[in-house]
Amino acid sequence: MAQGWRHRISTPDFDVTGTSPPWVVFTPKGTAQMDSGLSTLAARGGRVHHFPASALMTEQGIYGSFAEALQFPSYFGRNWDAMVDCLDDLCGAVTGRVGIAGVIHDADPLLETANFPLLVSVLCQAADRANSGVDLDGFPLDRPAIAEHFIFEFNQFDQETIRLRVDQPDLLVTTGDGFVAAALDPEEWR
């Protein structure tokens, strides 16, 4: 058993409309609970952004796709740290001042890319910061917490393969009926 792997939960325990973890969820395509959560987020004024996995196969593709869809500033440094910073500080037009969900469609081929584990960790880091009202040192931010979640939708959902690929020492990975979920491990990050 890898370090990050913690436990199995039997029912989905995530809410893309709120600021609670997990931050990144892996599901089969067309999951009713996820579709409902995304609709609820949009009905509350939040934004759902869509990313085709085919555009995220390379590091530069990831940077370009996220920068365009989420309106990163022109000074975005096109590196992983800059991506965390930009995802943590999204403008109101991108979030509706409520929150965002980034949906990565047809995510199956991403499992085989070298950048996949790092992408998951970066998304967890950014969402952890965005969903919190404090900075990494525990000081209050000048903005409220905002819901930020990322959903990877798979055509061929193989829970064990996904879990093994997502599992990293800095993440808490959980599984349940029809999903895998990840969030930062507070013991590693705080």
Side-chain angles (χ1 to χ4, degrees), residues 63-134:
Y63 300 149
S65 295
F66 276 81
E68 181 180 342
L70 300 177
Q71 302 173 18
F72 288 0
S74 60
Y75 56 82
F76 168 52
R78 293 189 176 268
N79 62 63
W80 295 113
D81 290 335
M83 190 160 156
V84 170
D85 290 341
C86 287
L87 286 170
D88 174 37
D89 195 25
L90 295 174
C91 69
V94 173
T95 65
R97 301 199 192 298
V98 172
I100 71 150
V103 181
I104 295 95
H105 299 280
D106 305 316
D108 307 65
L110 289 176
L111 285 174
E112 303 305 319
T113 65
N115 292 320
F116 180 74
L118 184 54
L119 172 61
V120 172
S121 181
V122 163
L123 295 177
C124 285
Q125 291 172 51
D128 186 77
R129 287 170 50 180
N131 282 288
S132 174
V134 297

Side-chain angles (χ1 to χ4, degrees), residues 10-161:
S10 60
T11 57
D13 190 20
F14 51 84
D15 175 11
V16 298
T17 67
T19 58
S20 297
W23 314 127
V24 181
V25 180
F26 308 85
T27 68
K29 185 176 187 174
T31 302
Q33 180 192 0
M34 190 59 67
D35 291 346
S36 174
L38 295 172
S39 293
T40 301
L41 177 66
R44 292 179 182 170
R47 305 290 192 267
V48 178
H49 298 275
H50 299 273
F51 301 89
S54 59
L56 307 176
M57 299 299 289
T58 66
E59 190 173 332
Q60 291 307 312
I62 292 167
Y63 300 149
S65 295
F66 276 81
E68 181 180 342
L70 300 177
Q71 302 173 18
F72 288 0
S74 60
Y75 56 82
F76 168 52
R78 293 189 176 268
N79 62 63
W80 295 113
D81 290 335
M83 190 160 156
V84 170
D85 290 341
C86 287
L87 286 170
D88 174 37
D89 195 25
L90 295 174
C91 69
V94 173
T95 65
R97 301 199 192 298
V98 172
I100 71 150
V103 181
I104 295 95
H105 299 280
D106 305 316
D108 307 65
L110 289 176
L111 285 174
E112 303 305 319
T113 65
N115 292 320
F116 180 74
L118 184 54
L119 172 61
V120 172
S121 181
V122 163
L123 295 177
C124 285
Q125 291 172 51
D128 186 77
R129 287 170 50 180
N131 282 288
S132 174
V134 297
D135 66 18
L136 291 176
D137 296 319
F139 296 109
L141 295 172
D142 60 353
R143 60 143 179 89
I146 191 154
E148 183 172 292
H149 300 274
F150 299 94
I151 299 96
F152 287 75
E153 289 188 336
F154 289 84
N155 296 313
Q156 301 296 317
F157 184 78
D158 181 339
Q159 187 174 39
E160 186 63 9
T161 299

Side-chain angles (χ1 to χ4, degrees), residues 145-189:
I146 191 154
E148 183 172 292
H149 300 274
F150 299 94
I151 299 96
F152 287 75
E153 289 188 336
F154 289 84
N155 296 313
Q156 301 296 317
F157 184 78
D158 181 339
Q159 187 174 39
E160 186 63 9
T161 299
I162 294 167
R163 183 192 67 79
L164 289 171
R165 194 73 170 112
V166 170
D167 195 26
Q168 302 171 58
D170 65 335
L171 300 181
L172 291 176
V173 178
T174 56
T175 63
D177 295 332
F179 75 92
V180 174
L184 288 186
D185 182 345
E187 292 177 18
E188 294 290 325
W189 284 92

